[in-house]
Amino acid sequence: RRVAIGKWFVVGWLYEVVLGVVLGAVLGRTFAWLMRISLRKGFIDRQSYVAQYLAMAFFTIGIASTIGSDDLLAAFAAGNAISWDGHFNTQTEDEIFVSVIDLVLNCACFVYIGAWLPFNTFNSPELGITPWRLVVLFIAILALRRIPSVLLLYKWIPEIRTWREALFSGHFGMYCMGVGAVFISTLALTELPEPHNPPESQQELLAATLQPIVSFVVLGSIIIRTNSRRFSSNRNERPFS
């Protein structure tokens, strides 16, 4: 047991998670610094500046995959580090290319997620999965996943000035739970045994319940975030009386 816990901590946390985040953050900040200097001195034009973040994504994923760290976390950390001070967002907010790339990637991801959702497994009492349990779990995740941490750390985030902005940012966040959750759950299933009916062990029970639980959380997150953004946009567009 001690060996397993040590391997879980050293390999799972330090090497994959912590190293992936640190690697992505360092690469992201270095990239942002180089791009700012290059743009200021005229070494690259605005169009090239916009295209570089795609190259940075592939570069970060390639390095993280080569050394065996978590490439998804590394890419996420790099993206956060690049846009930390808002300079990159300011330079790219008016570019059509960015909007096109976002639209294409978002459409492809949501089509895949929609086809991946196992709606028929959301009510599986034999596995302990019932709709009301899924709803309670989703509400707990939605409330505790991001809002408390943002409220605690917003004073160190340059773009968040008040606790109200922190609450707003904590609710909306950057993205809804989607691609990352699908990727990690699918990766986990490759390491778990094929479940029997009924499952004969805890590992088989986990394999049988992982996709229904994750998919319901992903579906709920997409619905809540989409409607929240629409409601917020409608309020912002409403003229003052």
Side-chain angles (χ1 to χ4, degrees), residues 100-115:
V100 171
I101 292 296
D102 286 342
L103 179 62
V104 171
L105 293 179
N106 282 332
C107 288
C109 289
F110 281 111
V111 167
Y112 175 79
I113 291 174

Side-chain angles (χ1 to χ4, degrees), residues 10 23 54 83 88 95 109 117 147 174 210 214 230 235:
V10 174
L23 175 66
L54 287 177
S83 60
F88 184 82
E95 293 293 334
C109 289
L117 291 173
I147 293 176
M174 288 186 63
L210 183 61
V214 172
R230 184 174 301 171
R235 289 194 62 184

Side-chain angles (χ1 to χ4, degrees), residues 107-172:
C107 288
C109 289
F110 281 111
V111 167
Y112 175 79
I113 291 174
W116 174 81
L117 291 173
F119 291 96
N120 60 323
T121 61
F122 289 163
N123 187 23
S124 303
E126 67 278 5
L127 298 176
I129 298 176
T130 55
W132 73 267
R133 287 183 176 180
L134 291 174
V135 171
V136 171
L137 175 65
F138 171 68
I139 293 174
I141 292 175
L142 197 66
L144 301 176
R145 174 175 176 258
R146 191 156 37 201
I147 293 176
S149 60
V150 176
L151 287 174
L152 289 174
L153 301 175
Y154 79 90
K155 292 183 179 179
W156 290 275
I157 303 176
E159 295 185 351
I160 301 179
R161 299 178 180 84
T162 65
W163 69 268
R164 291 184 178 86
E165 292 182 359
L167 181 62
F168 183 85
S169 301
H171 172 67
F172 286 102

